Amino acid sequence: MSQVFEGYERQYCELSANLSRKCTSAGFLDGEQKKQKVSDIKSGLDDAEALIRKMDLEARSLPPNVKAMLLAKLREYKNDLNNLKTEVKRLTSANANQAARDELLEAGMADNAMVSADQRGRLLMSTERLNQSSDRIKDGRRTMLETEELGLHGVDENIGRSKKILTGMSRRMSRNKWIIGAVIAVLVLAIILILYFKLAH
């Protein structure tokens, strides 16, 4: 393996480990300290990228069998560098988000301090309208319950009348059954008597 490549590789590994530690510590900082730390990390990333380019040039100048092995290793270092860049972007984005939150908080406090009597009046009117709407809803519910109660009384009366009608019909059917039974009995008895007299003569 190329000693030149190994030298660049050793430098890159040390620098990468150092940058990773700085990214971790930057996550616990805020304000100017965090900005300074992120700026320091970005400078280190430039150095790491320069080492990657040097390793790439050195690997491509070597015989094919060695070159293939070193380029495969170099791809891992490039992935490592991309991960470090992503971490720095996350830290930078966190800074921007914090600044935006601070601005919004300050703006919100200023707006609250400038709330006018007119705005408070509109709020009171809105509250009053809500209370009136609530009262109307309660009245509507009360009316609905009263209507349901009246409707139930009407249904009970109708059911009572229906029961009386059915009871009367049942009684009439029973009476008709007795009458039909009696008529059949008389007919049968008459037929028996007729047959008897015919046989006797």
Side-chain angles (χ1 to χ4, degrees), residues 178-195:
W178 283 108
I179 292 171
I180 292 170
V183 169
I184 291 172
V186 170
L187 288 174
V188 170
L189 182 60
I191 290 169
I192 291 172
L193 288 173
I194 292 168
L195 291 174

Side-chain angles (χ1 to χ4, degrees), residues 143-165:
T143 302
M144 183 179 68
L145 289 173
E146 290 173 357
T147 303
E148 286 180 355
E149 188 174 355
L150 289 173
L152 287 174
H153 285 312
V155 170
D156 289 341
E157 291 175 2
N158 290 333
I159 291 173
R161 283 197 295 270
S162 298
K163 283 182 177 178
K164 289 179 182 178
I165 292 170

